[in-house]
Amino acid sequence: MLDALAHTLRSHPDRPAVLGTTRTGAVRTKATCGELADLADRYAAALHARGVPRGGTVGVAVRPGPRALAVMLAVHRLGLRAAVLDPAAGPDVLRARLALARPDVVLADATAQAVAGWARPLARRARLALPDLAELGPVATVGRRLPGCAPALDTGGGTAVLPRPVDEDGDAVIVFTSGTTSRPRAVVHTRSSLAAGMATVTGLVRPEPGRPVLGGTFFVLVPSLASGAPVALPARSPRVLARQLRRLAPRATYLTPPQLRAALAEEARFTGRVWTGSAPASADLLTRVKAAGADEAWGVYALTELFPAAAVEQADKAAFGGEGDLVGAPLPGVEAKTDATGELVLSGPAARDRYLGEDPAPWVGTGDRARFDADGRIVLEGRCKDMVLRRAENIYPGLYEPALHVPGVELAVLVGVPAGDGDERLVAVVQPRREADHDRVRAALAAPLERMGAARPDALLLADIPLSGRSSKPDRAATARLAAARTGDAARRTRGTVR
């Protein structure tokens, strides 16, 4: 798919490729096909000139857009693998993750370097935090270089030698998921598994040459651009996003459930087919999207390990009367079954090759309990894992709970409590020691809470944590019920912020 994209970009250099929007919703071109191809070539030549070995790892801390896509094309051309750095994960987690991946070079734009440097206090307000990037490996700047940034990657322009594209399978991308700061876990996708996943997306979205697609994920950008469809990056402001949808009238749209809810609150109108994923999409949400003009509204079931796995259209989801969450039939090529514990496991060409540092394995555990209805469709019955899903982000408590054990704390857990429409609020439940001063405990927790980035809890509750079992481990289910009861009124008063 990435090879097909490179060909399409060169074949139609004057076509708009990546689109943005003004505050009025007017369409503007961020990069043409030719500009995107040239940028990818310059990055590939520069990485080659730096001596990054074939199969080497490139850390990527670049905002979504033309530069990030050009970096991925360059990495693919050279047979390298990209390790995506998420500034919302928090610096402690990122240090542990990159120690596992060991990048040969870290490519960062000026914004990422500012988050790790002079703009750190401002970035914390947006729940973004990066360690000093130089701790993670040699750093090079892509895009505009500001004072204090690392040297530019693309210095030398078009004078560097452009290597021939690598044409064989191998590791393509590392995406970090669960684990702990002491034992991070990362999904490794190969070039073939990425290609299979993006081919499935092409069949779902059915992009058409010249007809715009709205969506900012890599799995939307590549298949759409390879098909000749320009891709518009969604506006961050819900009000501007609503204007953008009206002016652009996209043939297909991919937004997360939180983005859809925010756009609907601004009375957005939709066109064509609308897709949503990364978090549960209720029948009610899909129905509202169709009522707002969409021809079709689809919920996509996917994992980092296998994207996409299943899909269901609003009409089928609304008509489903059984217990559980209908997510649709497995997509072509996807094999699905349940194991002895009732957990849904998946396999197929788009499945990840392995977890970093582990052997390849054909089946992917989803962490979801499931059953199959009479038509072979997947019905989810709840999660097996302790993962909390908030605003389309997977939050793994085990990553962050150790940091909550500051002086004066006996126990600490993170739990999710329902927040409506499939979303959850994250609550840190901390049990102080009997002799501890509660005000001092709260003060001591301030710093680790700040470092949690996008996993920062919506509420902090000091309370005794229920225990269960022979070993008296924290009872997460009971703790979640306690958190829901004790923080419900506070959440309505404070809109869920940590106080």
Side-chain angles (χ1 to χ4, degrees):
M1 183 66 70
L2 285 166
D3 293 332
L5 171 57
H7 175 75
T8 300
L9 295 177
R10 283 298 179 201
S11 300
H12 306 281
D14 296 327
R15 279 184 183 174
V18 182
L19 308 176
T21 186
T22 67
R23 291 191 62 81
T24 64
V27 179
R28 65 183 183 91
T29 300
K30 295 176 73 71
T32 64
C33 290
E35 290 168 343
L36 190 56
D38 289 342
L39 191 59
D41 286 350
R42 292 206 307 272
Y43 290 162
L47 285 169
H48 181 65
R50 288 180 69 97
V52 180
R54 186 164 166 177
T57 301
V58 177
V60 181
V62 184
R63 287 171 297 172
R67 291 193 188 101
L69 183 54
V71 165
M72 298 301 290
L73 287 169
V75 167
H76 177 79
R77 181 188 183 100
L78 298 175
L80 308 176
R81 63 182 185 183
V84 181
L85 309 185
D86 178 9
D92 296 342
V93 172
L94 280 174
R95 285 191 190 93
R97 288 176 170 179
L98 269 297
L100 178 66
R102 294 181 293 179
D104 296 274
V105 63
V106 175
L107 303 186
D109 58 19
T111 299
Q113 294 179 67
V115 168
W118 64 267
R120 184 179 284 117
L122 296 175
R124 286 197 187 113
R125 298 178 186 176
R127 297 186 177 183
L128 302 176
L130 284 171
D132 182 354
L133 294 176
E135 298 177 10
L136 309 178
V139 182
T141 300
V142 295
R144 184 185 178 192
R145 182 179 178 275
L146 298 177
C149 286
L153 172 70
D154 51 346
T155 300
T159 62
V161 176
L162 189 65
R164 293 179 60 84
V166 171
D167 186 21
E168 61 184 43
D169 203 8
D171 291 354
V173 65
I174 300 172
V175 185
F176 293 95
T177 55
S178 58
T180 65
T181 52
S182 60
R183 296 189 64 185
R185 204 175 198 200
V187 170
V188 180
H189 273 285
T190 62
R191 294 157 69 97
S192 59
S193 68
L194 276 186
M198 288 187 286
T200 303
V201 172
T202 302
L204 286 175
V205 178
R206 304 196 294 277
E208 300 175 10
R211 299 289 300 273
V213 172
L214 180 70
T217 69
F218 184 71
F219 271 91
V220 171
L221 279 162
V222 173
S224 300
L225 290 173
S227 300
V231 179
L233 303 179
R236 293 184 180 182
S237 162
R239 183 171 297 178
V240 177
L241 176 58
R243 296 169 182 164
Q244 182 184 23
L245 284 162
R246 183 176 65 252
R247 300 281 289 269
L248 187 68
R251 180 75 179 81
T253 297
Y254 181 88
L255 297 170
T256 65
Q259 287 176 310
L260 286 179
R261 289 192 288 267
L264 287 167
E266 295 293 338
E267 300 183 350
R269 300 293 298 174
F270 294 94
T271 52
R273 291 185 297 275
V274 177
W275 302 85
T276 189
S278 302
S282 66
D284 176 70
L285 178 61
L286 298 179
T287 299
R288 292 171 61 200
V289 170
K290 286 185 76 170
D295 296 330
E296 301 173 9
W298 290 82
V300 179
Y301 177 64
L303 298 88
T304 304
E305 292 88 343
L306 198 163
F307 183 97
V312 63
E313 209 278 324
Q314 176 271 338
D316 290 334
K317 187 145 187 163
F320 179 69
E323 294 182 351
D325 181 19
L326 175 69
V327 296
L331 292 168
V334 176
E335 298 180 62
K337 65 181 182 180
T338 55
D339 65 12
T341 68
E343 180 181 4
L344 177 68
V345 293
L346 305 172
S347 187
R352 56 94 182 98
D353 179 66
R354 67 192 187 281
Y355 292 103
L356 190 60
E358 301 180 17
D359 294 330
W363 290 94
V364 173
T366 64
D368 291 318
R369 292 182 57 83
R371 69 177 190 277
F372 298 92
D373 70 2
D375 296 319
R377 300 180 301 180
I378 300 170
V379 181
L380 301 183
E381 297 181 324
R383 292 199 293 276
C384 305
K385 302 176 182 177
D386 291 329
M387 182 183 76
V388 177
L389 192 54
R390 178 181 66 175
R391 296 190 291 274
E393 293 178 340
N394 296 342
I395 298 172
Y396 297 89
L399 281 170
Y400 304 98
E401 286 172 350
L404 299 178
H405 286 79
V406 299
V409 170
E410 189 75 49
L411 291 172
V413 296
L414 293 168
V415 295
V417 299
D421 204 13
D423 204 0
E424 293 179 303
R425 295 174 62 247
L426 184 66
V427 180
V429 184
V430 175
Q431 180 176 317
R433 296 176 184 173
R434 289 187 178 182
E435 71 277 11
D437 181 277
H438 285 203
D439 290 337
R440 289 186 178 181
V441 169
R442 288 182 181 276
L445 287 167
L449 289 171
E450 282 289 339
R451 292 198 302 270
M452 289 170 66
R456 185 182 179 187
D458 299 291
L460 169 63
L461 173 65
L462 300 188
D464 290 341
I465 294 174
L467 305 176
S468 64
R470 185 177 299 174
S471 58
S472 296
K473 293 182 178 180
D475 185 330
R476 290 184 178 273
T479 303
R481 292 192 293 271
L482 171 68
R486 295 278 296 274
T487 66
D489 291 338
R492 286 187 285 273
R493 291 195 303 269
T494 66
R495 297 185 179 181
T497 56
V498 177
R499 299 289 182 180

